[in-house]
Amino acid sequence: MTTTMRGMLVERLGSPDVMELRDLPLPEPGPGQIRVKVEAVGINFADVLAVAGEYLTRTRVPYTPGMEFAGIVDALGEGVSGVQPGVRVACLGGTGALAEYAVVPAAGLIPVPESFSAAQAAAFPVSYFTAYHGLKTLGAAQPGQWVLVQAAAGALGTASIQLAKAMDLNVIAMASTEEKLELARNLGADVTLLQDDPDRVQKVMEASGGRGVPLVLEVVGGKRFQESLKMTAPRGRVIVIGNASREPAHLQPGELMKRNLTVTGLWLTSLMSDQEATREAAQELTRLVGSGRVTPQVGPTYALADSARAFQDLMDRKTTGKVIIEPQN
């Protein structure tokens, strides 16, 4: 085997075009690690923020982006058991996926159904675990309740709609275009609204019987965060998952007190360290996938050399479903 591979390298933080396609050393798995031949990488907004230096944790350069991917187990490090070369796996590696090969801790492997394509496997871990924790673990959603899903045609939005309907919830979906709302309806959304509809707050209140929704999955941030609070029912919950607007949001404690609202942050990276919560989510997601009620929504696919364009298209809200990059192409 050759000692080099193709991969994207970031040496300075900034816009997506700072990523450069380079020849990189082929990584060797250390103790407790595996090497995977990367077939598909799922791109999240978190990847965009990391390259820009705006993520929740500091981005240290130089580095290769890509936290979520799927591929074929290629080599095992010392002490690794329970997995064999040649098996397709999904992985949460933090960084390093935008390359032909990646090394990850064996603990970062996520089994995927044999029926999944590589792209579906790469689209699964971050979006579906995040959606499950937002709806159930932190959101405490109950059958029959309403939930508001923002950016409903994106990877997290489509996962949230599918899981919400599987949990017998009523879904109000918001998205930027009618085409994206059509996708949300096809996935089961009960009410769909353009996110720039001037009457969106009033329409959410009307759809939810005038009380507002008990649960909001908040991903936009900025001034829209205040709208999320207005649309939340008394004693309701706002789960803050992202800040796609990249603008600061302001919170007055009195707003929470008046209607006994709860605002909770969700970061999958830290939540995955809760083994009990992760095991419960994995068991339920495995059941739902097996039942056919949950299918990852694969969006546009890009070659490795087009990684910057993939990141920019995601930023510009040109995509639906999970953006996929295929390093072998």
Side-chain angles (χ1 to χ4, degrees), residues 282-315:
Q283 290 174 346
E284 183 62 10
L285 288 171
T286 298
R287 184 186 70 81
L288 291 173
V289 168
S291 71
R293 302 187 71 179
V294 167
T295 302
Q297 301 298 297
V298 175
T301 299
Y302 301 79
L304 186 62
D306 296 324
S307 294
R309 181 163 62 90
F311 276 47
Q312 191 64 53
D313 286 350
L314 180 60
M315 288 177 62

mmCIF file of all heavy atoms in Angstrom, residues 282-315:
data_model
loop_
_atom_site.group_PDB
_atom_site.id
_atom_site.type_symbol
_atom_site.label_atom_id
_atom_site.label_comp_id
_atom_site.label_asym_id
_atom_site.label_seq_id
_atom_site.Cartn_x
_atom_site.Cartn_y
_atom_site.Cartn_z
ATOM 1 N N ALA A 282 -29.323 4.764 20.874
ATOM 2 C CA ALA A 282 -28.921 3.792 19.857
ATOM 3 C C ALA A 282 -29.932 2.661 19.720
ATOM 4 O O ALA A 282 -30.270 2.233 18.608
ATOM 5 C CB ALA A 282 -27.537 3.228 20.191
ATOM 6 N N GLN A 283 -30.445 2.178 20.842
ATOM 7 C CA GLN A 283 -31.426 1.095 20.807
ATOM 8 C C GLN A 283 -32.708 1.532 20.109
ATOM 9 O O GLN A 283 -33.265 0.805 19.276
ATOM 10 C CB GLN A 283 -31.733 0.622 22.225
ATOM 11 C CG GLN A 283 -30.598 -0.124 22.898
ATOM 12 C CD GLN A 283 -30.880 -0.462 24.341
ATOM 13 O OE1 GLN A 283 -31.817 0.066 24.955
ATOM 14 N NE2 GLN A 283 -30.075 -1.345 24.913
ATOM 15 N N GLU A 284 -33.175 2.737 20.444
ATOM 16 C CA GLU A 284 -34.422 3.208 19.838
ATOM 17 C C GLU A 284 -34.229 3.525 18.357
ATOM 18 O O GLU A 284 -35.091 3.213 17.526
ATOM 19 C CB GLU A 284 -34.930 4.445 20.579
ATOM 20 C CG GLU A 284 -36.258 4.979 20.083
ATOM 21 C CD GLU A 284 -37.413 3.993 20.228
ATOM 22 O OE1 GLU A 284 -37.235 2.948 20.893
ATOM 23 O OE2 GLU A 284 -38.496 4.265 19.683
ATOM 24 N N LEU A 285 -33.102 4.123 18.002
ATOM 25 C CA LEU A 285 -32.846 4.436 16.599
ATOM 26 C C LEU A 285 -32.693 3.165 15.775
ATOM 27 O O LEU A 285 -33.179 3.094 14.643
ATOM 28 C CB LEU A 285 -31.591 5.307 16.474
ATOM 29 C CG LEU A 285 -31.741 6.751 16.960
ATOM 30 C CD1 LEU A 285 -30.387 7.446 16.988
ATOM 31 C CD2 LEU A 285 -32.723 7.528 16.093
ATOM 32 N N THR A 286 -32.054 2.152 16.347
ATOM 33 C CA THR A 286 -31.919 0.873 15.647
ATOM 34 C C THR A 286 -33.296 0.262 15.386
ATOM 35 O O THR A 286 -33.561 -0.273 14.293
ATOM 36 C CB THR A 286 -31.062 -0.099 16.475
ATOM 37 O OG1 THR A 286 -29.750 0.452 16.635
ATOM 38 C CG2 THR A 286 -30.952 -1.453 15.781
ATOM 39 N N ARG A 287 -34.165 0.352 16.373
ATOM 40 C CA ARG A 287 -35.529 -0.180 16.212
ATOM 41 C C ARG A 287 -36.283 0.560 15.115
ATOM 42 O O ARG A 287 -36.943 -0.056 14.264
ATOM 43 C CB ARG A 287 -36.288 -0.077 17.532
ATOM 44 C CG ARG A 287 -37.689 -0.697 17.481
ATOM 45 C CD ARG A 287 -38.443 -0.449 18.768
ATOM 46 N NE ARG A 287 -38.812 0.946 18.940
ATOM 47 C CZ ARG A 287 -39.878 1.518 18.364
ATOM 48 N NH1 ARG A 287 -40.658 0.794 17.550
ATOM 49 N NH2 ARG A 287 -40.155 2.778 18.578
ATOM 50 N N LEU A 288 -36.182 1.888 15.116
ATOM 51 C CA LEU A 288 -36.918 2.686 14.136
ATOM 52 C C LEU A 288 -36.376 2.487 12.729
ATOM 53 O O LEU A 288 -37.144 2.437 11.761
ATOM 54 C CB LEU A 288 -36.862 4.166 14.532
ATOM 55 C CG LEU A 288 -37.652 4.535 15.787
ATOM 56 C CD1 LEU A 288 -37.393 5.980 16.171
ATOM 57 C CD2 LEU A 288 -39.141 4.301 15.572
ATOM 58 N N VAL A 289 -35.056 2.372 12.607
ATOM 59 C CA VAL A 289 -34.474 2.097 11.287
ATOM 60 C C VAL A 289 -34.944 0.744 10.783
ATOM 61 O O VAL A 289 -35.331 0.579 9.620
ATOM 62 C CB VAL A 289 -32.935 2.149 11.356
ATOM 63 C CG1 VAL A 289 -32.325 1.571 10.073
ATOM 64 C CG2 VAL A 289 -32.458 3.576 11.558
ATOM 65 N N GLY A 290 -34.942 -0.248 11.675
ATOM 66 C CA GLY A 290 -35.378 -1.582 11.293
ATOM 67 C C GLY A 290 -36.834 -1.643 10.882
ATOM 68 O O GLY A 290 -37.231 -2.463 10.045
ATOM 69 N N SER A 291 -37.647 -0.748 11.463
ATOM 70 C CA SER A 291 -39.068 -0.726 11.140
ATOM 71 C C SER A 291 -39.356 -0.013 9.828
ATOM 72 O O SER A 291 -40.483 -0.055 9.322
ATOM 73 C CB SER A 291 -39.849 -0.031 12.266
ATOM 74 O OG SER A 291 -39.595 1.371 12.276
ATOM 75 N N GLY A 292 -38.349 0.674 9.296
ATOM 76 C CA GLY A 292 -38.538 1.412 8.054
ATOM 77 C C GLY A 292 -39.105 2.803 8.240
ATOM 78 O O GLY A 292 -39.343 3.514 7.262
ATOM 79 N N ARG A 293 -39.314 3.229 9.494
ATOM 80 C CA ARG A 293 -39.899 4.548 9.745
ATOM 81 C C ARG A 293 -38.863 5.655 9.692
ATOM 82 O O ARG A 293 -39.219 6.835 9.670
ATOM 83 C CB ARG A 293 -40.608 4.565 11.102
ATOM 84 C CG ARG A 293 -41.715 3.529 11.233
ATOM 85 C CD ARG A 293 -42.499 3.699 12.515
ATOM 86 N NE ARG A 293 -43.333 4.894 12.482
ATOM 87 C CZ ARG A 293 -44.133 5.269 13.478
ATOM 88 N NH1 ARG A 293 -44.192 4.547 14.579
ATOM 89 N NH2 ARG A 293 -44.862 6.361 13.377
ATOM 90 N N VAL A 294 -37.599 5.287 9.690
ATOM 91 C CA VAL A 294 -36.520 6.264 9.663
ATOM 92 C C VAL A 294 -35.541 5.895 8.559
ATOM 93 O O VAL A 294 -35.004 4.786 8.548
ATOM 94 C CB VAL A 294 -35.782 6.308 11.020
ATOM 95 C CG1 VAL A 294 -34.484 7.068 10.900
ATOM 96 C CG2 VAL A 294 -36.670 6.938 12.086
ATOM 97 N N THR A 295 -35.316 6.824 7.624
ATOM 98 C CA THR A 295 -34.373 6.619 6.533
ATOM 99 C C THR A 295 -33.582 7.905 6.331
ATOM 100 O O THR A 295 -34.174 8.954 6.071
ATOM 101 C CB THR A 295 -35.090 6.269 5.221
ATOM 102 O OG1 THR A 295 -35.882 5.099 5.415
ATOM 103 C CG2 THR A 295 -34.071 6.014 4.117
ATOM 104 N N PRO A 296 -32.258 7.874 6.479
ATOM 105 C CA PRO A 296 -31.465 9.086 6.277
ATOM 106 C C PRO A 296 -31.714 9.702 4.910
ATOM 107 O O PRO A 296 -31.757 8.998 3.899
ATOM 108 C CB PRO A 296 -30.022 8.582 6.411
ATOM 109 C CG PRO A 296 -30.132 7.372 7.273
ATOM 110 C CD PRO A 296 -31.437 6.724 6.892
ATOM 111 N N GLN A 297 -31.885 11.018 4.905
ATOM 112 C CA GLN A 297 -32.153 11.750 3.674
ATOM 113 C C GLN A 297 -30.840 12.277 3.102
ATOM 114 O O GLN A 297 -30.269 13.248 3.606
ATOM 115 C CB GLN A 297 -33.117 12.899 3.944
ATOM 116 C CG GLN A 297 -34.456 12.451 4.513
ATOM 117 C CD GLN A 297 -35.218 11.550 3.557
ATOM 118 O OE1 GLN A 297 -35.594 11.972 2.464
ATOM 119 N NE2 GLN A 297 -35.449 10.316 3.968
ATOM 120 N N VAL A 298 -30.355 11.609 2.072
ATOM 121 C CA VAL A 298 -29.091 11.991 1.443
ATOM 122 C C VAL A 298 -29.325 13.147 0.484
ATOM 123 O O VAL A 298 -30.226 13.100 -0.361
ATOM 124 C CB VAL A 298 -28.464 10.798 0.704
ATOM 125 C CG1 VAL A 298 -27.205 11.226 -0.046
ATOM 126 C CG2 VAL A 298 -28.142 9.687 1.701
ATOM 127 N N GLY A 299 -28.528 14.193 0.630
ATOM 128 C CA GLY A 299 -28.636 15.346 -0.238
ATOM 129 C C GLY A 299 -27.650 15.292 -1.388
ATOM 130 O O GLY A 299 -27.294 14.213 -1.863
ATOM 131 N N PRO A 300 -27.144 16.436 -1.822
ATOM 132 C CA PRO A 300 -26.197 16.466 -2.951
ATOM 133 C C PRO A 300 -24.871 15.824 -2.567
ATOM 134 O O PRO A 300 -24.447 15.855 -1.412
ATOM 135 C CB PRO A 300 -26.039 17.957 -3.248
ATOM 136 C CG PRO A 300 -26.394 18.635 -1.960
ATOM 137 C CD PRO A 300 -27.468 17.788 -1.340
ATOM 138 N N THR A 301 -24.216 15.240 -3.561
ATOM 139 C CA THR A 301 -22.948 14.546 -3.358
ATOM 140 C C THR A 301 -21.853 15.246 -4.153
ATOM 141 O O THR A 301 -22.049 15.627 -5.306
ATOM 142 C CB THR A 301 -23.073 13.082 -3.811
ATOM 143 O OG1 THR A 301 -24.091 12.440 -3.029
ATOM 144 C CG2 THR A 301 -21.764 12.337 -3.609
ATOM 145 N N TYR A 302 -20.688 15.398 -3.524
ATOM 146 C CA TYR A 302 -19.576 16.129 -4.127
ATOM 147 C C TYR A 302 -18.310 15.266 -4.096
ATOM 148 O O TYR A 302 -18.144 14.424 -3.211
ATOM 149 C CB TYR A 302 -19.275 17.419 -3.356
ATOM 150 C CG TYR A 302 -20.431 18.388 -3.276
ATOM 151 C CD1 TYR A 302 -21.467 18.193 -2.364
ATOM 152 C CD2 TYR A 302 -20.467 19.532 -4.067
ATOM 153 C CE1 TYR A 302 -22.524 19.088 -2.265
ATOM 154 C CE2 TYR A 302 -21.512 20.446 -3.973
ATOM 155 C CZ TYR A 302 -22.542 20.214 -3.076
ATOM 156 O OH TYR A 302 -23.573 21.107 -2.982
ATOM 157 N N ALA A 303 -17.414 15.513 -5.037
ATOM 158 C CA ALA A 303 -16.096 14.891 -5.014
ATOM 159 C C ALA A 303 -15.220 15.600 -3.991
ATOM 160 O O ALA A 303 -15.494 16.733 -3.586
ATOM 161 C CB ALA A 303 -15.456 14.960 -6.399
ATOM 162 N N LEU A 304 -14.151 14.954 -3.568
ATOM 163 C CA LEU A 304 -13.260 15.530 -2.555
ATOM 164 C C LEU A 304 -12.717 16.889 -2.993
ATOM 165 O O LEU A 304 -12.639 17.823 -2.177
ATOM 166 C CB LEU A 304 -12.104 14.562 -2.277
ATOM 167 C CG LEU A 304 -11.144 14.944 -1.142
ATOM 168 C CD1 LEU A 304 -11.875 15.020 0.187
ATOM 169 C CD2 LEU A 304 -9.997 13.945 -1.069
ATOM 170 N N ALA A 305 -12.369 17.010 -4.257
ATOM 171 C CA ALA A 305 -11.813 18.270 -4.761
ATOM 172 C C ALA A 305 -12.813 19.412 -4.705
ATOM 173 O O ALA A 305 -12.429 20.588 -4.752
ATOM 174 C CB ALA A 305 -11.308 18.085 -6.190
ATOM 175 N N ASP A 306 -14.100 19.082 -4.586
ATOM 176 C CA ASP A 306 -15.153 20.099 -4.544
ATOM 177 C C ASP A 306 -15.638 20.369 -3.126
ATOM 178 O O ASP A 306 -16.750 20.883 -2.930
ATOM 179 C CB ASP A 306 -16.333 19.671 -5.419
ATOM 180 C CG ASP A 306 -15.961 19.575 -6.886
ATOM 181 O OD1 ASP A 306 -15.140 20.400 -7.334
ATOM 182 O OD2 ASP A 306 -16.471 18.675 -7.573
ATOM 183 N N SER A 307 -14.828 20.052 -2.131
ATOM 184 C CA SER A 307 -15.238 20.206 -0.738
ATOM 185 C C SER A 307 -15.607 21.653 -0.407
ATOM 186 O O SER A 307 -16.590 21.908 0.290
ATOM 187 C CB SER A 307 -14.136 19.726 0.204
ATOM 188 O OG SER A 307 -13.925 18.342 0.092
ATOM 189 N N ALA A 308 -14.824 22.604 -0.891
ATOM 190 C CA ALA A 308 -15.115 24.008 -0.591
ATOM 191 C C ALA A 308 -16.486 24.406 -1.131
ATOM 192 O O ALA A 308 -17.242 25.131 -0.474
ATOM 193 C CB ALA A 308 -14.030 24.908 -1.167
ATOM 194 N N ARG A 309 -16.814 23.929 -2.326
ATOM 195 C CA ARG A 309 -18.131 24.247 -2.894
ATOM 196 C C ARG A 309 -19.241 23.605 -2.071
ATOM 197 O O ARG A 309 -20.300 24.211 -1.869
ATOM 198 C CB ARG A 309 -18.202 23.774 -4.349
ATOM 199 C CG ARG A 309 -19.540 24.087 -5.030
ATOM 200 C CD ARG A 309 -19.421 23.979 -6.543
ATOM 201 N NE ARG A 309 -19.079 22.646 -6.977
ATOM 202 C CZ ARG A 309 -19.984 21.695 -7.261
ATOM 203 N NH1 ARG A 309 -21.291 21.951 -7.126
ATOM 204 N NH2 ARG A 309 -19.607 20.504 -7.676
ATOM 205 N N ALA A 310 -19.016 22.397 -1.580
ATOM 206 C CA ALA A 310 -20.014 21.735 -0.738
ATOM 207 C C ALA A 310 -20.266 22.545 0.525
ATOM 208 O O ALA A 310 -21.420 22.757 0.934
ATOM 209 C CB ALA A 310 -19.546 20.330 -0.385
ATOM 210 N N PHE A 311 -19.195 23.010 1.154
ATOM 211 C CA PHE A 311 -19.334 23.821 2.368
ATOM 212 C C PHE A 311 -20.085 25.116 2.063
ATOM 213 O O PHE A 311 -20.956 25.538 2.820
ATOM 214 C CB PHE A 311 -17.954 24.146 2.946
ATOM 215 C CG PHE A 311 -17.378 23.079 3.824
ATOM 216 C CD1 PHE A 311 -17.391 21.747 3.437
ATOM 217 C CD2 PHE A 311 -16.807 23.398 5.040
ATOM 218 C CE1 PHE A 311 -16.844 20.751 4.241
ATOM 219 C CE2 PHE A 311 -16.267 22.419 5.865
ATOM 220 C CZ PHE A 311 -16.281 21.090 5.460
ATOM 221 N N GLN A 312 -19.740 25.760 0.952
ATOM 222 C CA GLN A 312 -20.374 27.034 0.614
ATOM 223 C C GLN A 312 -21.850 26.851 0.285
ATOM 224 O O GLN A 312 -22.690 27.664 0.687
ATOM 225 C CB GLN A 312 -19.644 27.680 -0.571
ATOM 226 C CG GLN A 312 -20.053 29.129 -0.826
ATOM 227 C CD GLN A 312 -19.698 30.041 0.325
ATOM 228 O OE1 GLN A 312 -18.546 30.068 0.772
ATOM 229 N NE2 GLN A 312 -20.669 30.806 0.815
ATOM 230 N N ASP A 313 -22.178 25.780 -0.435
ATOM 231 C CA ASP A 313 -23.583 25.523 -0.756
ATOM 232 C C ASP A 313 -24.395 25.291 0.512
ATOM 233 O O ASP A 313 -25.552 25.728 0.615
ATOM 234 C CB ASP A 313 -23.702 24.304 -1.676
ATOM 235 C CG ASP A 313 -23.256 24.602 -3.099
ATOM 236 O OD1 ASP A 313 -23.042 25.787 -3.419
ATOM 237 O OD2 ASP A 313 -23.125 23.647 -3.887
ATOM 238 N N LEU A 314 -23.804 24.613 1.490
ATOM 239 C CA LEU A 314 -24.490 24.415 2.764
ATOM 240 C C LEU A 314 -24.704 25.749 3.462
ATOM 241 O O LEU A 314 -25.797 26.024 3.987
ATOM 242 C CB LEU A 314 -23.675 23.466 3.645
ATOM 243 C CG LEU A 314 -24.249 23.145 5.035
ATOM 244 C CD1 LEU A 314 -25.612 22.488 4.914
ATOM 245 C CD2 LEU A 314 -23.290 22.249 5.810
ATOM 246 N N MET A 315 -23.693 26.588 3.474
ATOM 247 C CA MET A 315 -23.817 27.912 4.092
ATOM 248 C C MET A 315 -24.881 28.755 3.410
ATOM 249 O O MET A 315 -25.617 29.500 4.073
ATOM 250 C CB MET A 315 -22.478 28.643 4.018
ATOM 251 C CG MET A 315 -21.401 28.126 4.935
ATOM 252 S SD MET A 315 -19.848 29.034 4.693
ATOM 253 C CE MET A 315 -20.347 30.705 5.137
#
